[in-house]
Structure formats: C-alpha cells, structure tokens
Amino acid sequence: MIAKSLAAAAFALLPLAAQAQHAELPTDPAADWSVATSEHRVAVEGGKVWARVNGVIGEGATPVIMIHGGPGGTHLNFGNLISLADQRPVILYDQLDSGMSDHPENPANWKPERFVAELEAIRKELGVERWHVIGHSWGSALALEYAAAYPQHTASAVLSGTFISTPHWITGTNLLIRELPDDVAAAIRACEGPNPPAAVVCEPATAAFYSAFNGRPDRPAPSPEARAYRNRYGGKGFNATVYNAMWGPTEFRASGPLATYDATHLLPRVDGSRVMYVVGQYDEARIDTVQDFVALTPGAELAVVPGGSHAYISERPEVAEAIYRDWMNRIDAREKAE
C-alpha cells in the first residue's frame, strides 16, 4: 500500500485542545527548501506531533497541508513541493510515531480516526479556517476521511497515489505482479506463500516490483538541498513497526487492522467538484482502479503524471507541483467568485 521505499524516494473524532511550542525561524528566500517559517509541536491524543509551516497563516491564498503516506512514513516526500509557498502557506507534519513527532509506540493510537483527529488538532492550533488537504497513499485515506468529517474546513481534497480501500489495493497490486517477467512474478507469489524461499530470492523480486511501480530507475537523484535536509533530520524516518502493525509485511498482503479498511462509502459524502485524484502512469494505485473511484465521486477530476510511479512526487516534481498548483488556484478562484 504505502511502501517503505517512499521515505527512501524522498532521498520518499473529537477535536482535541492543542498546545504548541512555537519557534520562529529565518525566512531567507535564498536558503534551501529545508528552512521553515515556523515549527510547532502540537498536542494530540497520545502525544505531540511536529509540524512546520512555510509562509504565514492568514497571508496569501488558502493554506495547504500535505499528509504523508505510510502508515509510518514522514513528510520528506513533500520537500520539493515547498515551492508552492510562493503563493500560499504550506504545512508539512509527521504523524504520531513517525519522524520528528513523539514516538509513544502505543498500538492504541494506530487507528484511522485518531490520525484524522490529529489533522484537526493541527488546524486549530495553527489558526487555519479552511485549507486544502493533499494526501498521498495512506495519506489519501486520511484526506478523504477528513474531508467527509470536516467539509466546512476543507477547501479541497487531493487523493494522490490513491489508497482508500484495501480490497481494491490488494487486487491492484496482484494484477501488477502479472505484468512483471514470469520468473519475477513466480518468485513474488512463492514469497507470499506459506513456505517462502530465502531472502536471496524474495528481496530481488520485491525490488523489481518497486522499481516498476514505486520508484522507477530514471528518477532524478536527490538534490544537495534534500540530502542536507535529510542529514539535519537526524535519521528520524520511516517507522516500520507502525507499518507492519497496521498494514503487514508487504504491499501484496495486508494482515493488520487495515486489512479490511474500505472508505469508498465516504465518496458520496464529499463534494466531488472539490476532489482530485492524482496517480502516476505506472502507479501501484492502478489507473483503472482510481477511475472507478472517480466514477463514484461525481464532479471529481483525475490527473495522471506521465512516466511516474507511486513515487511520482520525487520522480516528476515539476509536473506534480504544476498539477497541485493549478488545482488549488482554480478552487481558490471559484471560492472567490461564489
């Protein structure tokens, strides 16, 4: 669903009262993209989450918050999209037990509704009335759930690399396995069976799947700025414990609580004219599957990133930025006209 390789590719419900430790940071436009205008620690159920803002809330266009994948991923995948802050505040954060946020490692926190409440706590703490929510992979599920629960605070919802249903996802990844060379596909099936072969067989086969659908070999190398940020980030990255507990060991089989997750019933509850789906041409989130979601969301749009996989944000950053920028500008213009 939301691969461990995302973190590598970047180099990939009751509202709660929130408390933050606020630090103002320099905003030199010549500085690299890692410099935030402000950083915050926001109290949520189970601990505090770390958030960063580029821009000033209340100035510019409607803010946007980026919701990372996982479960257990981090904000790193969105680094190149901070360029959107030339028009609007851009908010990045790490979910509880990930990255710079607290790591209580309490399985009681690992449920979708708590992650949705986490978003609302951040909104209230930062003083945002309405925002665009852009989710990627597992973050798409949270973006959809948030938009359905808080339509009054949602200017638009972007469901990128769309995961909103485990049955659809598992069907999709198993269809993609058939597109691989016969020997690779056979190895993956064996590795997912009751008596898997050794890692020397399974690891290359899984890597071949990711190379095709989640981090293609022609992706650009990380910029010096991205590498510098990762170094300063201190290695606080992907949390495999959360991923394995909530999802399972691989993209092809779900064994955790998300094994039965399906949020498609929420699609009729959101304003489809404020929903956009975005997938890569070679995405794990298969285009035909996402087209079915679009059909269930009247008025919604679909954008496909040419040459991109599930990691298209890092593979085709200029295209991703252009798609998101155009979408939010059009929604903002419509709201002004209404």
Side-chain angles (χ1 to χ4, degrees):
M1 177 199 25
I2 305 87
K4 304 172 186 179
S5 59
L6 278 184
F11 230 121
L13 193 40
L14 298 175
L16 301 175
Q19 301 173 357
Q21 297 174 352
H22 179 270
E24 292 293 343
L25 299 174
T27 55
D28 176 5
D32 70 42
W33 58 264
S34 70
V35 178
T37 304
S38 62
E39 295 185 1
H40 308 256
R41 297 197 68 81
V42 181
V44 301
E45 180 184 350
K48 290 185 177 181
V49 296
W50 172 89
R52 54 171 289 162
V53 182
N54 280 71
V56 178
I57 305 295
E59 298 182 7
T62 303
V64 58
I65 185 165
M66 310 285 189
I67 309 169
H68 65 72
T74 76
H75 72 286
L76 283 171
N77 196 45
F78 294 116
N80 289 321
L81 296 177
I82 293 174
S83 53
L84 293 167
D86 64 348
Q87 287 186 315
R88 68 187 69 248
V90 174
I91 304 161
L92 307 182
Y93 79 107
D94 287 333
Q95 294 159 22
L96 194 68
D97 280 313
S98 297
M100 300 286 284
S101 293
D102 288 355
H103 286 236
E105 301 284 349
N106 181 356
N109 295 322
W110 301 342
K111 51 188 186 290
E113 58 268 26
R114 196 214 59 80
F115 288 100
V116 174
E118 186 175 87
L119 278 166
E120 179 64 358
I122 294 171
R123 184 197 67 79
K124 294 175 71 174
E125 173 59 33
L126 297 182
V128 175
E129 179 55 32
R130 282 170 68 78
W131 56 7
H132 299 278
V133 293
I134 295 180
H136 186 262
S137 203
W138 151 250
S140 289
L142 299 182
L144 174 59
E145 295 242 13
Y146 183 90
Y150 300 100
Q152 71 276 26
H153 299 305
T154 306
S156 77
V158 179
L159 313 181
S160 303
T162 314
F163 165 78
I164 57 174
S165 166
T166 299
H168 288 81
W169 184 273
I170 295 298
T171 298
T173 55
N174 280 277
L175 286 172
L176 291 175
I177 290 172
R178 298 184 180 184
E179 298 183 16
L180 298 171
D182 290 346
D183 58 334
V184 175
I188 290 176
R189 293 191 188 98
C191 294
E192 292 297 305
N195 298 299
V200 68
V201 174
C202 295
E203 290 179 359
T206 301
F209 179 92
Y210 288 142
S211 180
F213 307 114
N214 192 349
R216 293 180 66 82
D218 65 344
R219 64 188 182 275
S223 69
E225 292 82 7
R227 291 184 184 276
Y229 184 48
R230 185 184 185 189
N231 290 337
R232 284 195 298 278
Y233 194 67
K236 296 180 179 179
F238 179 82
N239 189 333
T241 300
V242 177
Y243 177 86
N244 290 331
M246 291 187 69
W247 176 257
T250 73
E251 300 291 275
F252 324 117
R253 174 167 45 93
S255 56
L258 290 178
T260 57
Y261 182 82
D262 190 339
T264 54
H265 67 282
L266 296 177
L267 296 178
R269 291 173 47 185
V270 297
D271 181 351
S273 69
R274 295 178 180 273
V275 174
M276 180 171 67
Y277 297 86
V278 187
V279 292
Q281 179 181 356
Y282 306 107
D283 207 310
E284 281 185 282
R286 287 168 51 93
I287 294 174
D288 56 354
T289 300
V290 177
Q291 286 176 320
D292 291 339
F293 298 152
V294 174
L296 293 171
T297 321
E301 296 187 15
L302 170 62
V304 178
V305 178
S309 73
H310 197 57
Y312 71 81
I313 294 174
S314 58
E315 293 167 337
R316 307 288 185 267
E318 297 88 355
V319 178
E321 178 190 331
I323 290 171
Y324 295 143
R325 185 185 295 275
D326 173 73
W327 166 257
M328 291 188 289
N329 286 346
R330 287 191 285 120
I331 294 294
D332 290 348
R334 193 176 90 186
E335 289 209 335
K336 288 181 180 180
E338 291 175 347

